[in-house]
Amino acid sequence: MKKTVAFIGLGAMGYRMAAHLPQHFDHVMVWNRNFAKAEQHANQYATTAVELQQAAQADLIFSCLPTSADVNDILSQVQCKAGSIWIDCTSGVPELARQQAKFLAQQGVDFLDAPVSGQTIGAENASLTFMVGGSESAFQQAQPAMQAMGKLIRHVGESGAGFAVKAVNNMMMAVHLCAAAEGFTTLKAHGVNLQQALDCINASSGKSGVTESALPDRILNRSFPLTFALSLLAKDTGIAIDLVREAKLASPVIALTQSLIQAAYASSEENSDFSAAVKMYESWSKITIE
Ligand code: NDP
């Protein structure tokens, strides 16, 4: 197993993911733009808060930032150690993963696009799914560290493949979210008890991750807790529609859902959770899903 590990970006996901690493590595370095968060992490989890350039000297460098552009910004500021592996857990852009891999190869560094799913609760419980693109040998070397934070770790192809899987996954989740908003406003309009309806649907063929988790835990109870920002979902659906266009495919459901999520984001309050996208449907129909 590679010896030193660093984690760059201690946001909603990164803060919780990096917390598991000290159980598996002797030396875990953390860096965050707002450095007070790195210091707090060090106090809480026995990691070491370091300068960015020092973090880049680790054998394994994890990053988890909002966008691939943010990762590029960081890559332009550091020089890594030859033989190390950069594992980017951002939900990023496949084409940029290929460019990042080429850029780091010039420093003798491997790059894996390794986005995750499972939300903040999965980061907290070390039960994330990692979908990984890049070379098989880098994947094999980095796998034990990913296992410290995840449950299902899959090598899905060459550079960019991990980001592609993540974008398509989140697009499918967005489709389910829009379908649930339309379905549940319709049921309410017909006077149906939504909680009983949800129980039936979750025991039937129309169920999805949205009906099993977002609807009961975020929407019906009107809590909309901010753990995965609507801005990030809008970014992910944007990546997915670009993949569709690059492949010159006809994907009307994806195209429509992309427009709906962009519109929901544009009309949302600042710092809205992804589940708050249903509020757009509620404002159209004057029906609250509760
Ligand atoms: P957050 O917004 O909670 O955290 C973002 C982190 O990136 C913060 O540490 C922030 O630093 C840092 N950051 C932002 N911009 C820059 C920059 N230009 N340079 C350096 N650091 C920067 O995001 P999440 O943790 O929710 O998401 C991170 C990634 O994981 C995203 O790509 C998201 O799509 C994906 N994801 C999120 C999930 C979730 O449930 N939240 C689930 C699965 C994937 P600072 O503290 O200084 O602001």
Side-chain angles (χ1 to χ4, degrees):
M1 199 163 174
K2 296 268 186 183
K3 290 187 186 66
T4 57
V5 61
F7 207 108
I8 291 172
L10 303 172
M13 294 299 285
Y15 197 91
R16 293 167 169 90
M17 290 166 73
H20 302 290
L21 293 171
Q23 292 159 37
H24 304 269
F25 292 88
D26 293 337
H27 191 203
V28 179
M29 297 180 271
V30 290
W31 179 85
N32 194 65
R33 181 178 59 179
N34 167 1
F35 199 66
K37 261 199 224 171
E39 290 172 324
Q40 187 189 328
H41 198 277
N43 287 333
Q44 205 172 339
Y45 298 114
T47 52
T48 308
V50 296
E51 291 305 319
L52 181 56
Q53 181 50 40
Q54 205 180 334
Q57 293 307 300
D59 297 315
L60 295 175
I61 306 131
F62 283 90
S63 51
C64 190
L65 303 177
T67 67
S68 286
D70 297 320
V71 176
N72 273 345
D73 192 28
I74 295 294
L75 288 176
S76 70
Q77 296 174 53
V78 297
Q79 175 74 30
C80 299
K81 193 170 73 174
S84 62
I85 304 172
W86 191 296
I87 305 138
D88 184 26
C89 301
T90 304
S91 299
V93 178
E95 177 52 31
L96 292 184
R98 290 186 277 276
Q99 292 176 18
Q100 288 160 341
K102 268 192 201 148
F103 176 79
L104 282 170
Q106 292 163 6
Q107 298 174 27
V109 175
D110 273 305
F111 177 85
L112 296 172
D113 46 301
V116 295
S117 75
Q119 304 199 342
T120 50
I121 184 72
E124 206 158 306
N125 299 337
S127 61
L128 294 172
T129 297
F130 281 76
M131 39 211 101
V132 188
S135 81
E136 176 69 31
S137 80
F139 173 75
Q140 292 299 342
Q141 292 176 71
Q143 196 175 15
M146 291 187 272
Q147 258 153 2
M149 300 178 280
K151 207 162 154 191
L152 181 74
I153 323 290
R154 282 287 156 87
H155 185 219
V156 293
E158 293 305 314
S159 258
F163 286 164
V165 174
K166 177 67 186 173
V168 168
N169 176 76
N170 278 24
M171 173 52 94
M172 289 174 68
M173 189 272 276
V175 171
H176 296 149
L177 187 60
C178 292
E182 293 180 24
F184 276 68
T185 48
T186 303
L187 289 174
K188 184 98 179 265
H190 285 272
V192 173
N193 178 313
L194 294 191
Q195 187 55 56
Q196 304 301 338
L198 182 65
D199 292 347
C200 293
I201 287 170
N202 279 336
S204 305
S205 52
K207 72 179 171 189
S208 66
V210 168
T211 62
E212 289 183 324
S213 138
L215 257 177
D217 301 341
R218 295 168 188 262
I219 299 168
L220 281 171
N221 65 11
R222 313 306 291 169
S223 63
F224 303 103
L226 175 56
T227 66
F228 175 47
L230 182 52
S231 59
L232 293 175
L233 180 60
K235 174 252 316 179
D236 293 336
T237 58
I239 296 170
I241 194 73
D242 285 346
L243 286 174
V244 166
R245 287 182 184 136
E246 280 164 33
K248 297 189 169 54
L249 299 174
S251 299
V253 174
I254 288 183
L256 182 56
T257 304
Q258 141 77 358
S259 299
L260 289 165
I261 294 296
Q262 293 300 333
Y265 171 50
S267 62
S268 67
E269 287 166 19
E270 211 181 329
N271 296 324
S272 287
D273 185 60
F274 75 97
S275 56
V278 303
K279 290 183 182 175
M280 180 177 72
Y281 282 98
E282 294 179 338
S283 74
W284 289 343
S285 61
K286 311 270 184 290
I287 289 171
T288 308
I289 304 170
E290 62 183 330

